[in-house]
Amino acid sequence: MMSKDCGEFDLVIFGASGLTGRYAVEELARSVVRFPEIRWAVAGRNAEKLRETLAIVQDYLSDEIEIKDTQIILADVQDPASIYQMCKRTKLLLNCVGPYNLFGGEMIVSTCVECKTHCIDISAEIKYLDRVLANYFEQARRNCVYIIQACGFGSLPADYGVTLLMKKFPGGLNSVEYFVEFGEGPEGKPVGCGTFSSIILSMWDYFIPYKFEKEVEEKVFRKLPTKSKLPTNKYYDFRDISMTYNNKESAWCIKYFGPDERAVRRSQMIRASYLNSEEHIEFQGQIKLPSLYEALRHIFVLLLNTIMCLSSAGRALLQKVSRRKNMRSANNFVFVVSHGFNEHNWFKDNINYKNHSLTDHSLFKDDIHYPNHSLTDHNPF
């Protein structure tokens, strides 16, 4: 639902010349073939790089899709007036310019709310997410504007997976385990420059989230979801363990210090405060690794990066070693296992997500498999 009728464009991709922006342009171009009425444009601070992006993406598209003449909008986070003019011209802004703490993420949200323009981003920085929610939630509601954050791989599969399970689970959903398995491409396990910068610039925030949560709870959340009345989960003890061997998955797992748990918890708090939902679902994310050696290696790298992020010199050094990589052949897998209760019998279900399977020049494929199960007395499935 769009909140205004005067926008020149239905959608503008801001930061289209970046790694994420190029993928967004490619996928949108394919969608416009099915929905030719969509009016869209690309935006950024460098017109030459934007034209280069359109030319590069054009090479991946079939001959019947033509995007070289897509309109270009010049906008720079250092020039608030240009951001305002960009937001006034569109109904929906897809902000791909990160890290959002550094490159005017909050200013763009503020401008979108003022212009009554919907905004989507792929943020994952705790400080930014909580600050935007605390400062602009009520104003966005009054202006009928959607500000949809954390729509990247770090949050969306987990949050959407839990929401889907709440609708589909054949009983009372109690808890969800979320496993992430990072695949490799031609250049190893690739991470985009913007993503890596966001991680190192906000890594310490993951260990002190209480500094940002209090203001959000006071300004936004009216009540918290109630604790589940279902029996204790007999399949898994949701403890804060950094590394463990998971017998069900036959793999070593380490705690996933990503934004997933916070995104899931925040969605539950929104539902409890504004949608009269009382459901509280335990959630824990883990990285699935093939061996003990890989688990120890990942923990060592995490600790080393955390120590380096404590100083400005360490953060600067880490940012220097980051570089843009080819992610087109990288495969990341997400496996969601849910546990619930029905008529005094525990049962479980699962959803498989296959993300970033980049074949035949496609941006990504999401293959969701929800098996059909039948409940049997005293037999979990």
Side-chain angles (χ1 to χ4, degrees):
M1 180 184 69
M2 296 298 178
S3 62
K4 60 181 183 179
D5 300 322
C6 57
E8 179 183 350
F9 301 103
D10 296 309
L11 187 152
V12 168
I13 300 175
F14 181 47
S17 60
L19 178 65
T20 302
R22 288 183 181 179
Y23 284 123
V25 169
E26 180 181 344
E27 191 66 14
L28 180 59
R30 298 181 192 281
S31 299
V32 170
V33 174
R34 302 192 302 272
F35 305 98
E37 69 277 8
I38 294 178
R39 302 165 299 164
W40 65 288
V42 295
R45 61 182 179 177
N46 189 311
E48 188 61 35
K49 287 186 177 181
L50 290 171
R51 282 190 285 269
E52 179 185 352
T53 290
L54 293 174
I56 291 173
V57 173
Q58 182 69 69
D59 292 338
Y60 287 103
L61 301 173
S62 57
D63 295 336
E64 62 268 19
I65 304 177
E66 177 61 51
I67 66 168
K68 288 184 178 179
D69 296 329
T70 300
Q71 188 157 343
I72 291 174
I73 300 174
L74 293 181
D76 190 341
V77 294
Q78 301 298 326
D79 181 8
S82 67
I83 298 296
Y84 180 83
Q85 291 301 320
M86 174 183 65
C87 293
K88 288 289 289 184
R89 298 177 66 181
T90 183
K91 299 176 182 178
L92 170 64
L93 181 71
L94 176 56
N95 183 12
C96 300
V97 180
Y100 295 89
N101 276 327
L102 286 183
F103 297 116
E106 187 173 354
M107 181 264 290
I108 291 174
V109 169
S110 174
T111 306
C112 283
V113 172
E114 179 183 353
C115 297
K116 297 184 178 180
T117 296
H118 305 303
C119 182
I120 298 176
D121 66 38
I122 56 170
S123 54
E125 299 99 314
I126 291 176
K127 187 187 301 183
Y128 167 75
L129 292 171
D130 285 354
R131 192 166 57 220
V132 166
L133 187 60
N135 293 339
Y136 303 102
F137 181 79
E138 286 299 333
Q139 186 180 352
R141 290 186 73 204
R142 289 195 300 269
N143 290 353
C144 298
V145 173
Y146 289 106
I147 304 298
I148 307 176
Q149 301 175 285
C151 290
F153 179 76
S155 303
L156 190 60
D159 202 11
Y160 175 72
V162 172
T163 301
L164 182 61
L165 284 167
M166 291 174 65
K167 295 179 179 179
K168 299 288 188 178
F169 197 79
L173 182 61
N174 176 269
S175 52
V176 174
E177 296 173 72
Y178 175 78
F179 297 94
V180 181
E181 187 174 359
F182 295 106
E184 296 191 5
E187 300 182 26
K189 296 182 179 180
V191 177
C193 295
T195 300
F196 190 70
S197 295
S198 296
I199 292 172
I200 63 178
L201 290 173
S202 60
M203 182 173 287
W204 188 244
D205 296 342
Y206 287 105
F207 300 96
I208 51 172
Y210 57 86
K211 285 193 173 184
F212 319 113
E213 290 178 343
K214 186 176 181 180
E215 186 179 12
V216 174
E217 292 182 1
E218 291 176 350
K219 290 185 176 181
V220 177
F221 301 127
R222 299 170 179 172
K223 62 179 180 178
L224 302 180
T226 56
K227 194 72 174 177
S228 174
K229 297 180 181 180
L230 297 175
T232 304
N233 185 345
K234 74 176 184 180
Y235 282 100
Y236 187 74
D237 182 13
F238 277 68
R239 295 170 293 176
D240 190 12
I241 300 175
S242 296
M243 183 179 73
T244 184
Y245 184 79
N246 190 296
N247 292 315
K248 297 190 302 296
E249 299 300 320
S250 300
W252 285 93
C253 299
I254 63 174
K255 183 175 175 61
Y256 185 32
F257 290 99
D260 307 69
E261 291 187 34
R262 291 177 56 82
V264 171
R265 185 169 70 251
R266 187 169 70 169
S267 293
Q268 291 187 53
M269 295 170 75
I270 288 287
R271 283 191 284 264
S273 298
Y274 299 95
L275 301 178
N276 296 319
S277 172
E278 299 294 336
E279 294 180 89
H280 172 83
I281 299 166
E282 293 184 86
F283 178 89
Q284 187 169 78
Q286 300 177 72
I287 300 176
K288 185 178 176 181
L289 298 164
S291 66
L292 176 60
Y293 167 76
E294 284 294 321
L296 293 173
R297 187 170 72 90
H298 276 71
I299 290 178
F300 173 77
V301 172
L302 175 64
L303 291 175
L304 180 62
N305 286 345
T306 302
I307 293 172
M308 294 184 68
C309 287
L310 296 179
S311 67
S312 57
R315 291 192 294 269
L317 179 61
L318 286 172
Q319 289 185 82
K320 283 185 178 180
V321 302
S322 67
R323 61 187 180 90
R324 179 175 293 185
K325 294 184 178 182
N326 178 16
M327 302 180 70
R328 288 195 166 271
S329 298
N331 292 279
N332 298 328
F333 301 93
V334 173
F335 186 66
V336 183
V337 179
S338 56
H339 307 285
F341 194 82
N342 187 19
E343 297 180 356
H344 309 292
N345 294 320
W346 272 103
F347 55 85
K348 62 179 179 177
D349 212 339
N350 60 66
I351 296 179
N352 293 315
Y353 291 84
K354 186 177 182 181
N355 294 299
H356 291 217
S357 177
L358 306 177
T359 58
D360 299 329
H361 307 299
S362 64
L363 175 63
F364 60 83
K365 294 181 180 179
D366 284 338
D367 179 19
I368 302 178
H369 172 63
Y370 197 94
N372 294 319
H373 293 293
S374 59
L375 287 174
T376 57
D377 292 338
H378 308 294
N379 289 323
F381 59 86

